[in-house]
Amino acid sequence: HSSEMYAELKSALLERLCDKEHLVRALAVTSLSKLAASEDVDDLEDDEEPIVMSLLSHLFEDPAPEVRRAALVHLPFSPTTLPALLTRMRDVDPLTRKMVFTTILPRLEHPRLLTIGQREQVVSQGLGDRADAVRVAAAHLLGTWVDSCEGDLTSFVKLFDVHTPDVARDALKSVFVTRAEIVNEVDFDGMCSIVIYDHVY
């Protein structure tokens, strides 16, 4: 009868997603995220919506930032959900925006798991955010991307599209500020020749 208990639990939690108290909704999101991670969509009835879809609606639309943050942090992290999670870089709540850079993006093993467009979005929206804390978080993340490139700033610059040089320049300027120890070891003559060749400047 474990399947019956599962169905009852799922139904009760889905009802709680509509609770008027935002903390109840946040707890429901957290609990449903655990169920979503093991849900097999092939087992759903024809008219039954996957749990992830209900969670995504709260990620996008819930009026309470606490609920949106719960969805952001606890939603199953996968290539399928990543684009939705990245939309929170434009959330009205600065803490939610900051958490994309401090909690979500650091889960990636390498920035190349993002598309070029997504990487440029991280730079432009993160470093251009109106909140200081978000800009600092984005700058710190870019420092870890340099580490992913083994400290090679030329490889780091090549993470970005050569046809949008402003993004690469802003990313590089950020690293110069936050990771001075890397900059001190750079062969600028060698690097600049490659950068200029690639039309980044």
Side-chain angles (χ1 to χ4, degrees):
H1 300 289
S2 59
S3 60
E4 292 180 7
M5 291 181 60
Y6 174 88
E8 290 177 7
L9 176 61
K10 176 181 173 180
S11 176
L13 288 171
L14 286 171
E15 286 184 20
R16 295 282 73 79
L17 282 181
C18 301
D19 199 280
K20 64 180 181 180
E21 294 292 337
H22 70 273
L23 291 179
V24 173
R25 297 198 305 277
L27 287 171
V29 164
T30 301
S31 299
L32 281 167
S33 296
K34 299 181 187 303
L35 298 184
S38 60
E39 183 177 61
D40 187 345
V41 294
D42 293 333
D43 293 338
L44 300 177
E45 301 292 335
D46 291 341
D47 60 345
E48 193 175 0
E49 186 177 69
I51 293 173
V52 168
M53 297 305 295
S54 298
L55 297 175
L56 286 174
S57 70
H58 283 269
L59 176 73
F60 296 141
E61 301 169 3
D62 199 285
E66 294 87 352
V67 180
R68 299 196 302 277
R69 289 198 292 267
L72 178 69
V73 172
H74 295 290
L75 259 164
F77 183 78
S78 71
T80 303
T81 59
L82 182 58
L85 299 175
L86 292 180
T87 66
R88 292 309 88 203
M89 289 192 291
R90 302 300 292 270
D91 199 280
V92 296
D93 174 61
L95 180 55
T96 303
R97 299 197 303 273
K98 176 183 175 182
M99 288 177 68
V100 177
F101 300 96
T102 59
T103 305
I104 302 305
L105 288 167
R107 297 180 187 178
L108 293 169
E109 292 183 8
H110 196 282
R112 289 196 179 277
L113 293 174
L114 297 170
T115 66
I116 288 180
Q118 288 170 337
R119 295 195 292 265
E120 295 194 338
Q121 188 182 16
V122 167
V123 174
S124 59
Q125 293 183 8
L127 297 181
D129 198 278
R130 60 186 178 274
D132 289 345
V134 178
R135 295 196 300 273
V136 169
H140 177 75
L141 176 73
L142 292 178
T144 68
W145 285 11
V146 175
D147 294 334
S148 297
C149 296
E150 299 182 354
D152 183 347
L153 290 183
T154 300
S155 297
F156 174 73
V157 167
K158 288 183 177 180
L159 291 173
F160 310 104
D161 191 337
V162 298
H163 299 296
T164 50
D166 289 352
V167 173
R169 183 193 61 221
D170 291 346
L172 203 53
K173 284 170 61 179
S174 171
V175 171
F176 285 175
V177 172
T178 61
R179 300 297 298 273
E181 76 281 4
I182 292 177
V183 177
N184 290 337
E185 298 175 1
V186 173
D187 172 10
F188 280 100
D189 290 337
M191 179 184 165
C192 288
S193 63
I194 296 175
V195 171
I196 292 170
Y197 178 78
D198 283 343
H199 306 293
V200 171
Y201 288 140

